[in-house]
Every structure is written in C-alpha cells, then in structure tokens.
Amino acid sequence: DKTECILPFPSFHFVVPDNSTSTGWRVHFPKDVLPALKGRISMDPTFLNKLDGFSTLAPLLFYFEGLKSAQESDINEPRLQGPENIVLSVTPDSITLLLDVENKLLVHHSAEIDYLDSEDPLVLVFPARPLRHNAHYALIVANANDVNGEMIAPKKELHVLLSEKNKDARSIRYRSVVLPSLFEAANWTKPLYDSKSLQLIFDFPTISDDSQLGQIKAVRDGTINQIKDWDWAKKVD
C-alpha cells in the first residue's frame, strides 16, 4: 500500500521465519519503516522485532480508496459494521471479514473510518475479543461499493496474487489455506470470489502467550513469591 509503507497491518510481510520462537516466526520491521512519532522522531523497532507475532488486542489497519465517501452515503450496503452492529460483522452485511484461518471461523469485530486523516483515512478493525495466541488470522474485504452503489474494482495486483500461475509463497498460502478456510466459514463468499468481488486480503500470525505475557507473568509470580516468603507475623502488628 503506497499510502503508508506499513499497510496493511499486521501482515506476514513483516515477519521472518525463526525456528527458535514458539510460533516459528519473528517480527521484522526494517529501520525507518514505522511511522514517525510526534516531533518527527523515528520509532525504534528493536523491541517489536524481538516478538514472535502480532498483538492479539491491537486494531487491524488498512487503506481502501473510495470507502470513506461510500460509508458516508445512506444508500451504501453492505458496509463497515461499527461497534453498535458487531453482530452483523460475521454476515454478508459486512464488507470486512475477520477470519480465524485454522478454525475456519469468522470473528466478530467492529470496523470504522479513522477521520484523523481527512484525505486518506484508514479503516480500523477492532476484534470484539482478544484473538488466540500463536494463531493464523486473515482480514478480507469483499463486496464493497462506491458512493454510487457500484462495486469497487479490485486492484490488478490482487488478481495477479491469486492467479494459479503465481508460485509466490504468499499466493500459494492464500489459494491453498486462506481461501478454502474462508469459503467454509462463510459460504456466501465463494460466489464473490468467482465474480471478482473479493477486494483485499491480508493475513498475519499472532504472538505467542509467552512472548506477549511472559515478562508480565514473571513479575507477577515474583511478587507473589516475595509476599509468601515475607514473615508477616514478625513485621505486621
């Protein structure tokens, strides 16, 4: 995505294989790829690059041209389903589908336009509950219309990516793993794929429990042990 070099986020584009981790992956953000902080201070990715996957709690981010004006139209259906309509996020009424690839299940979520950037606003997707640790998820955009109610054409790069002729590892993973899981989890999406109405796909691995919570649990356990070992009878009146 040319709007921001990190988009869509998160994705397998920013992990590398690592047999020493619980997930078999390690996050890898090159230097200067992350957005600058306030004051144009560059963000150091060193800490993030020690993790073995992406957060189970953070929002998913992507940019989709034409979606802002379409969502502001009263005639546009289906649409992004906000926090008031989470129940619809796993139905054909939602243009975003969050997929638990391994379990072949759609995940309830909310999705909304981020109006902090009025020119090229991102879409923010919030899972309704934490995602599973050490798992494979995908985000699919399908059947999104423009402000005139016309289907937004997928970019040609997506067609190339999903082509049977494409032997790229990501292409093979999408065709052999992600799409079959999607079609089983949401059987109405197979006709959308056949009619070229799937408009965006990206997938990512989630972080392991130990990588995300290991240090926190160590502090907790150390504190509990200190409390247990303290001689309360002598030190507390």
Side-chain angles (χ1 to χ4, degrees):
D1 190 326
K2 295 180 181 179
T3 58
E4 292 284 356
C5 56
I6 200 174
L7 297 178
F9 179 85
S11 81
F12 269 102
H13 185 70
F14 290 110
V15 295
V16 293
D18 188 336
N19 292 330
S20 69
T21 70
S22 298
T23 65
W25 302 98
R26 180 174 53 80
V27 173
H28 178 68
F29 288 116
K31 187 178 180 181
D32 299 329
V33 73
L34 296 175
L37 300 172
K38 187 175 181 180
R40 297 187 178 276
I41 301 172
S42 60
M43 188 183 302
D44 186 351
T46 300
F47 167 73
L48 296 174
N49 287 346
K50 295 178 181 180
L51 305 177
D52 63 7
F54 296 102
S55 175
T56 60
L57 296 168
L60 287 63
L61 313 174
F62 66 91
Y63 175 74
F64 199 89
E65 188 172 355
L67 201 54
K68 173 179 176 287
S69 56
Q71 290 303 299
E72 293 171 346
S73 169
D74 292 334
I75 65 172
N76 185 58
E77 292 289 347
R79 59 193 303 113
L80 298 175
Q81 301 298 343
E84 72 283 359
N85 288 320
I86 287 178
V87 67
L88 297 179
S89 67
V90 295
T91 73
D93 290 326
S94 176
I95 63 174
T96 54
L97 300 172
L98 180 54
L99 176 68
D100 180 334
V101 176
E102 292 144 328
N103 286 331
K104 302 178 175 64
L105 294 172
L106 294 182
V107 178
H108 286 84
H109 62 279
S110 65
E112 59 191 62
I113 300 292
D114 179 10
Y115 285 98
L116 290 178
D117 185 340
S118 59
E119 294 184 3
D120 296 313
L122 302 184
V123 177
L124 310 178
V125 177
F126 301 91
R129 60 181 299 174
L131 303 179
R132 295 187 300 114
H133 288 104
N134 193 5
H136 183 190
Y137 286 88
L139 193 285
I140 297 94
V141 175
N143 216 23
N145 296 328
D146 62 19
V147 70
N148 298 314
E150 300 293 329
M151 184 72 61
I152 299 176
K155 292 184 178 181
K156 63 180 181 180
E157 289 84 357
L158 181 62
H159 174 72
V160 172
L161 180 63
L162 298 179
S163 170
E164 294 286 346
K165 297 179 181 179
N166 194 329
K167 303 305 179 184
D168 176 80
R170 180 172 57 149
S171 176
I172 294 172
R173 185 175 70 246
Y174 283 2
R175 297 196 312 271
S176 63
V177 179
V178 176
L179 288 177
S181 175
L182 173 66
F183 298 154
E184 185 167 336
N187 57 13
W188 71 86
T189 58
K190 183 61 166 67
L192 296 180
Y193 173 70
D194 295 337
S195 65
K196 306 295 189 295
S197 298
L198 293 187
Q199 295 145 315
L200 177 68
I201 303 176
F202 62 94
D203 62 340
F204 59 96
T206 53
I207 194 170
S208 68
D209 179 272
D210 183 64
S211 185
Q212 185 172 28
L213 302 174
Q215 291 184 339
I216 296 174
K217 289 182 176 180
V219 171
R220 177 202 64 187
D221 294 343
T223 301
I224 291 175
N225 288 333
Q226 288 288 337
I227 293 173
K228 286 181 177 179
D229 293 340
W230 211 49
D231 193 342
W232 289 89
K234 293 181 178 179
K235 298 179 179 180
V236 178
D237 291 333

